[in-house]
Amino acid sequence: MKDTIVKSKKILIIDGIILILVLTMFLFVKCRHRDAFTDKGEYKNISLEGTWYKVDLDELYVVRFDDAGFDERDMYGEQFRKGQYEVGNHALKLGSRRYSMRYIDEEKELEDIIDDSTDQYDLKKYFYIIDEEGNKIYYFREEEDAADQLDYNCQTNAYYEKTGMFDESGFAIDEEGILLAYNGNQQEVTIPESVTGIAENAFSADYDRALNTKRVTIPSNVKKIDSGAFSFSEVRIVYIENGVSEIEKWAFGDSQIQEIHFPENVMNMKEGILDTEEGLEGVKIYCKEGSGVDTYFKNNPPKGKYEMIYY
């Protein structure tokens, strides 16, 4: 009986400690949000007054900030929302919602680094907020910069997921048969028969693609491999089958490829398909001796260490 009472007291004490910790965390978060707008810190002199161009993935809006608040409209002039706003320390309040915020003025950030005038540089002024799902929403001073960001966004996994382009295997293929991206988890991948070309960044780890894939087979139905198709890729082995007719410059540049197998002939191979910033490190290049591919590498030897292996 005594042991039971002791155990019960211990449980009550532990529960009490947990409750205190939870309340402390709640108060900390609440105070932190409040302090972000009470003491604006780095952002105390930032003014958003004027017109900004908002990019929310594939949607573009015009947002006007002034003393009365903010007014957000789509590109057709239809009002999307409006309300009050407030800038805090790395925070922005739009209406009743608070967002984490990062403000960038490239001219001010670089004026102490660049000795001459910054007029010759394409420097941007923008900020972004992070929404409830962790996505970045950008606001640019210049419409052209917003358009550039929009173009970039429309090449991301998030856009392909939103538009339903990824199939069950993780391939995003457009109507012309171009493989735009692969975000599947298979270690060994064969490009589907419907694909006629592989686009830039299709297997790039910089775009969170093919992160677990170690081997890719490119069959004869693929006719062209674009520049940067495997740039910054985590893929280790690539098999290119007979029938691929064009490989653009830097198609496999700055990647983790350790061995690459070429068919007897590729009609058009641009210079520097394996170029890397620091040079190759022991890459094995397989091809037929005396073939057009062999002649290509003899005339365009990659920088760094590699081994030609003939079959």
Side-chain angles (χ1 to χ4, degrees):
M1 182 69 177
K2 185 177 181 181
D3 291 341
T4 301
I5 295 173
V6 172
K7 288 180 180 179
S8 297
K9 288 182 177 179
K10 288 182 178 179
I11 291 172
L12 288 172
I13 292 171
I14 293 171
D15 287 345
I17 293 172
I18 292 173
L19 180 60
I20 291 170
L21 289 172
V22 170
L23 289 172
T24 302
M25 290 176 64
F26 173 77
L27 291 172
F28 171 76
V29 172
K30 186 175 181 181
C31 290
R32 185 181 63 177
H33 281 301
R34 184 184 63 206
D35 291 342
F37 293 94
T38 302
D39 178 10
K40 299 183 186 298
E42 292 182 33
Y43 290 4
K44 61 184 177 182
N45 296 320
I46 287 178
S47 171
L48 300 184
E49 187 170 341
T51 300
W52 296 79
Y53 297 91
K54 172 185 171 181
V55 181
D56 186 357
L57 191 55
D58 61 335
E59 298 177 352
L60 188 63
Y61 301 90
V62 179
V63 186
R64 174 75 183 179
F65 292 93
D66 56 32
D67 292 339
F70 74 95
D71 181 276
E72 182 175 328
R73 298 174 182 267
D74 64 22
M75 296 306 291
Y76 301 101
E78 294 293 328
Q79 190 175 70
F80 184 68
R81 63 174 176 170
K82 66 177 182 177
Q84 298 299 310
Y85 76 95
E86 184 179 359
V87 177
N89 186 19
H90 293 276
L92 177 65
K93 188 190 298 181
L94 294 173
S96 61
R97 293 186 178 181
R98 294 185 175 101
Y99 302 93
S100 295
M101 175 189 182
R102 175 80 170 91
Y103 183 91
I104 298 98
D105 184 341
E106 293 180 344
E107 183 174 358
K108 286 188 176 180
E109 290 184 359
L110 295 175
E111 63 184 0
D112 295 332
I113 301 174
I114 301 174
D115 295 331
D116 53 357
S117 172
T118 59
D119 294 341
Q120 60 183 304
Y121 300 97
D122 181 21
L123 302 178
K124 301 178 179 63
K125 184 180 292 185
Y126 66 97
F127 67 91
Y128 65 80
I129 61 175
I130 300 176
D131 67 14
E132 294 84 353
E133 297 178 354
N135 302 311
K136 289 181 180 178
I137 300 174
Y138 289 86
Y139 294 74
F140 292 90
R141 272 297 191 194
E142 301 297 331
E143 186 175 3
E144 184 178 351
D145 295 333
D148 289 343
Q149 183 66 44
L150 189 67
D151 288 342
Y152 171 83
N153 286 355
C154 289
Q155 301 174 49
T156 62
N157 290 347
Y159 174 74
Y160 296 144
E161 288 169 358
K162 178 181 177 179
T163 55
M165 292 191 68
F166 281 118
D167 62 20
E168 293 180 355
S169 299
F171 294 101
I173 305 169
D174 69 13
E175 295 178 353
E176 298 178 352
I178 306 301
L179 174 59
L180 302 173
Y182 173 73
N183 74 339
N185 294 312
Q186 296 298 316
Q187 290 194 1
E188 297 188 7
V189 170
T190 297
I191 306 301
E193 294 181 357
S194 60
V195 173
T196 59
I198 304 176
E200 181 180 5
N201 299 314
F203 287 87
S204 175
D206 277 6
Y207 283 70
D208 294 324
R209 293 168 184 166
L211 298 180
N212 298 315
T213 303
K214 302 306 177 188
R215 171 174 166 168
V216 173
T217 298
I218 304 174
S220 60
N221 48 276
V222 175
K223 302 305 177 185
K224 182 179 180 181
I225 304 173
D226 276 348
S227 175
F230 286 80
S231 61
F232 306 106
S233 174
E234 295 292 330
V235 174
R236 299 298 195 272
I237 303 172
V238 174
Y239 282 86
I240 305 173
E241 295 185 352
N242 216 17
V244 175
S245 59
E246 186 174 356
I247 303 177
E248 290 287 339
K249 183 176 181 178
W250 201 58
F252 305 96
D254 286 303
S255 69
Q256 297 297 318
I257 292 175
Q258 297 172 348
E259 61 179 74
I260 182 166
H261 299 248
F262 289 92
E264 183 173 350
N265 186 46
V266 178
M267 293 179 62
N268 188 358
M269 296 174 67
K270 300 294 176 63
E271 295 181 9
I273 62 173
L274 290 172
D275 276 1
T276 64
E277 185 175 350
E278 298 179 354
L280 300 179
E281 287 290 341
V283 174
K284 296 179 179 179
I285 301 173
Y286 292 79
C287 69
K288 186 174 182 179
E289 188 172 11
S291 66
V293 174
D294 184 24
T295 301
Y296 165 85
F297 281 108
K298 286 178 179 176
N299 294 334
N300 302 279
K303 185 178 74 173
K305 298 178 181 178
Y306 64 94
E307 180 182 1
M308 297 295 298
I309 300 176
Y310 299 112
Y311 57 79

